[in-house]
Amino acid sequence: MRIRIVDRSAQHSQLRNRRMPSLQTEPFNRRIEVLLAVVDTPEETALATALLEARGWAVRQWEGSDPSMIGTGRRGLLVEVRLYGARLGAVQAAVSEIERLARQRQAGMWVVDAVLIEHDLDRDHRTRYQVREQGADAAGRSFSLRALRRAWTSLRIVVRPGGPDLNVVTDRLEQGALTGRQFDPQRHQLRVPPGMEGRDTSVPQPDPPASAWRIALSWAVCSSLWRPASRWRLLRALSSLHRFSW
């Protein structure tokens, strides 16, 4: 078997001079931050950075206060691995991708820590304001296409934390806050659409009452466990709840 000798310095120079994308073009829905221990030499650090950035992953220097966590003769790099797939197994997939890349390129880098990056984007307790033209409500009662378009067109959307406060937000917009775009109360109307009212997250909210689904399901499961002969009740309860849930 012939072994091809690769000039590592030339390879590193080629990777470094290649234009790396600022954001990978492939879609991703998982972000994993990985701490790497890289051999503390300029060549190894630059090669590891180039290989990781070539995948479209953001890389930066680790600024931790305890170098012993990285190891002697090692330098820390933080890389954000971006993958597409299920939440389950995303961290392991990121670790495997980096370890495979290190083996393929014989790059001196090892995974030290990996954590899934997540934000609570499903729940937004802020108030959403809409700016429309003055008289849009009256125009909405007209049946002309132009009037309906005017009634439903939002000229501006402002999202602020806490409950709705039209007076405060109106004053701030008149003063040129946020984007600084003009807000004329003679021409513009600020409103909060139904269902878009936020709340103050610092105030604890009471626990919601148990739903009928959970109560019936708990009763049916307990009945089936204590009395095996009545397992048909579990199926009957689930089927009825499923029918009413639709």
Side-chain angles (χ1 to χ4, degrees), residues 1-71:
M1 179 183 295
R2 298 181 59 186
I3 298 178
R4 183 166 58 94
I5 306 299
V6 177
D7 186 353
R8 199 161 186 176
S9 61
Q11 182 187 42
H12 154 60
S13 178
Q14 182 181 5
L15 288 171
R16 181 181 57 185
N17 295 330
R18 185 185 304 169
R19 186 177 181 181
M20 301 302 177
S22 59
L23 185 66
Q24 68 185 73
T25 57
E26 297 180 0
F28 62 91
N29 62 344
R30 305 297 171 195
R31 300 169 56 202
I32 301 94
E33 187 175 55
V34 183
L35 174 61
L36 298 178
V38 181
V39 175
D40 192 10
T41 62
E43 294 78 15
E44 290 290 342
T45 302
L47 176 62
T49 302
L51 290 173
L52 296 168
E53 288 182 344
R55 302 292 299 272
W57 300 338
V59 182
R60 67 182 188 275
Q61 294 291 328
W62 180 66
E63 299 178 355
S65 57
D66 189 1
S68 63
M69 299 296 296
I70 300 298

Side-chain angles (χ1 to χ4, degrees), residues 120 123-129 160-165 195-206 208:
D120 190 6
R123 294 179 296 178
D124 192 351
H125 301 297
R126 300 176 299 170
T127 299
R128 188 176 295 265
Y129 302 85
R160 299 292 298 160
D165 196 332
M196 295 298 177
E197 303 87 354
R199 65 175 179 85
D200 188 359
T201 56
S202 62
V203 179
Q205 298 293 316

Side-chain angles (χ1 to χ4, degrees), residues 89-125:
V91 176
Q92 181 58 53
V95 173
S96 300
E97 281 289 315
I98 293 179
E99 292 177 342
R100 181 179 61 84
L101 183 61
R103 289 192 300 268
Q104 287 180 345
R105 302 299 185 183
Q106 283 300 299
M109 56 182 179
W110 296 267
V111 174
V112 177
D113 189 14
V115 59
L116 186 65
I117 302 175
E118 291 184 314
H119 302 285
D120 190 6
L121 302 177
D122 295 331
R123 294 179 296 178
D124 192 351
H125 301 297

Side-chain angles (χ1 to χ4, degrees), residues 130-142 144-155 189 191:
Q130 288 184 355
V131 177
R132 300 192 304 180
E133 292 185 67
Q134 282 284 5
D137 292 332
R141 291 190 287 269
S142 175
S144 67
L145 181 61
R146 181 176 181 181
L148 291 175
R149 187 186 300 116
R150 180 184 177 189
W152 289 100
T153 298
S154 297
L155 304 178
Q189 175 189 9
R191 62 188 294 271

